Amino acid sequence: MQLNSKISICQKDITLLKVDAIVNAANKSLLGGGGVDGAIHKAAGKELVEECRTLKGCETGEAKITKAYHLPAKFVIHTVGPIWGNGNNNEKNLLESCYKNCLKLAVKNNIKTIAFPNISTGLYRFPKQMAAEIAMNTVNSFLADNNSIESVVFVCFDEENYNIYETIIKNWMTHN
Ligand code: ADP
């Protein structure tokens, strides 16, 4: 399958992006945490945690949407990635579900441009190479069946993830 031209990567702080929706790698409480979650809540302001409180949490692999308040984005899609154990606890399918459910929610809310962080690859310790392959394959397959989303950006905050995504894209271009 060809790599969809709507997919791109960048190395930035996701809270600075002016897209329709940024995705938050949240925890089940949806009440804020460390890493990208903490950065999003800090930049969005306390209104975000107030709206999140009304959502009553989120299961692993699922996604919920809120407004983005003081962020340049319009919406935040919160998803809960799997915590990496030994790989035998359905981690891969759950990570795939995160990407799929975020995109489904984006389509439902008429979101055209969306930015993903590298879900589960921080505090949740999912192996980065495997996570990147799942992320790219899942998004690419989704875009092949859906025309309403115009742009998907993978925001690689750390150098290691950026290099992994860049290599996957280069390999994809040369082998497909
Ligand atoms: P998880 O608990 O799902 O692992 P983390 O927030 O710990 O979530 O890490 C997920 C990814 O988000 C990591 O690759 C980390 O480098 C990245 N990250 C941390 N802060 C930001 C930020 N401000 N913008 C984009 N990505 C970020």
Side-chain angles (χ1 to χ4, degrees):
M1 194 191 275
Q2 292 238 318
L3 181 64
N4 198 299
S5 60
K6 294 171 183 169
I7 293 177
S8 62
I9 60 172
C10 74
Q11 189 173 15
K12 281 191 189 132
D13 177 348
I14 203 168
T15 64
L16 303 176
L17 296 189
K18 201 171 175 221
V19 286
D20 291 342
I22 61 169
V23 172
N24 182 16
N27 58 47
K28 283 170 133 184
S29 78
L30 297 185
L31 299 179
V36 71
D37 194 10
I40 289 173
H41 275 274
K42 190 171 172 214
K46 64 172 176 9
E47 295 94 328
L48 181 60
V49 76
E50 282 161 18
E51 184 176 355
C52 283
R53 205 167 279 132
T54 68
L55 300 176
K56 309 275 178 230
C58 182
E59 291 302 321
T60 305
E62 302 290 321
K64 294 193 175 177
I65 190 166
T66 64
K67 290 187 271 184
Y69 301 98
H70 302 288
L71 289 164
K74 291 185 201 140
F75 296 97
V76 180
I77 296 177
H78 307 261
T79 188
V80 182
I83 300 172
W84 182 262
N86 55 9
N88 294 325
N89 298 317
N90 211 26
E91 291 97 327
K92 293 181 207 165
N93 289 330
L94 288 167
L95 188 62
E96 188 179 323
S97 295
C98 287
Y99 285 94
K100 266 193 208 155
N101 285 324
C102 287
L103 290 167
K104 280 188 198 161
L105 207 47
V107 170
K108 209 170 149 190
N109 287 276
N110 206 27
I111 284 159
K112 306 285 180 199
T113 58
I114 180 167
F116 283 97
N118 307 132
I119 301 165
S120 284
T121 67
L123 300 169
Y124 284 3
R125 302 181 316 272
F126 204 106
K128 290 182 180 177
Q129 178 71 37
M130 203 189 293
E133 285 166 11
I134 291 169
M136 295 270 295
N137 284 324
T138 306
V139 170
N140 202 48
S141 298
F142 189 93
L143 293 178
D145 296 332
N146 184 285
N147 282 324
S148 75
I149 293 181
E150 292 166 6
S151 147
V152 178
V153 187
F154 289 107
V155 181
C156 305
F157 194 60
D158 56 275
E159 192 81 35
E160 194 187 349
N161 265 317
Y162 187 80
N163 292 335
I164 288 171
Y165 275 78
E166 206 180 25
T167 306
I168 291 176
I169 289 177
K170 274 186 196 148
N171 287 339
W172 211 317
M173 299 293 199
T174 46
H175 296 297
N176 288 287

